[in-house]
Amino acid sequence: MSRTSNVGFVYRQYTKDGIFMADYKSSREAAEAAGTSSGAVVRAAHGERKTGGGFIWKKVKEETPQDNIEISGESCIGYHDKRPVLQMDLEGTEICQFNSIAHASRATGISRRSLSCALNGAQKTAGGYRWMLKEE
């Protein structure tokens, strides 16, 4: 049974190449079809992971056209991403640069999950700071 907050939403499954596969009414239904955990589907759908069970997932309104979803696996920042990240105050002034999410997490005490959510745009800040990937 899906929660009230999921009414009108579906979990949309795509291949890693961005090809639509199916819609599911709940994360549990999606997980069973994909052979993975519902947590993996939810984390991928919310941008906390690149994939869940080898698929790209999006949680969208049911009426959203399948081709109206931007698929970009490269834009998702996972817990173990090794690219440099910048810590900034709320006004956008750079405070510090870290070699990776793991390094930033160890140095600041902010969880890797919170940092990756902030970098993916799932939340605005982590630990009271703004975060972004360093431009190369």
Side-chain angles (χ1 to χ4, degrees), residues 7-40:
V7 173
F9 287 88
V10 294
Y11 285 90
R12 191 157 283 164
Q13 180 184 27
Y14 295 88
T15 66
K16 288 183 181 178
D17 297 327
I19 299 168
F20 170 77
M21 293 184 66
D23 282 343
Y24 301 97
K25 295 281 186 187
S26 70
S27 60
R28 178 179 288 163
E29 180 185 7
E32 287 174 8
T36 190
S37 71
S38 62

Side-chain angles (χ1 to χ4, degrees), residues 10-108:
V10 294
Y11 285 90
R12 191 157 283 164
Q13 180 184 27
Y14 295 88
T15 66
K16 288 183 181 178
D17 297 327
I19 299 168
F20 170 77
M21 293 184 66
D23 282 343
Y24 301 97
K25 295 281 186 187
S26 70
S27 60
R28 178 179 288 163
E29 180 185 7
E32 287 174 8
T36 190
S37 71
S38 62
V41 171
V42 170
R43 286 188 296 275
H46 292 280
E48 297 172 23
R49 297 181 58 155
K50 291 181 183 180
T51 62
F55 300 98
I56 295 172
W57 296 93
K58 298 288 181 182
K59 184 177 178 183
V60 297
K61 289 186 178 180
E62 216 168 350
E63 64 273 3
T64 305
Q66 297 163 2
D67 59 350
N68 208 20
I69 303 298
E70 182 180 325
I71 300 295
S72 177
E74 291 302 313
S75 67
C76 295
I77 294 98
Y79 298 165
H80 303 291
D81 200 296
K82 300 207 183 303
R83 293 179 283 181
V85 295
L86 299 174
Q87 178 186 26
M88 297 172 293
D89 64 20
L90 297 178
E91 287 77 39
T93 305
E94 183 179 333
I95 296 171
C96 193
Q97 176 181 323
F98 298 97
N99 294 333
S100 66
I101 291 174
H103 184 239
S105 177
R106 284 190 299 273
T108 63

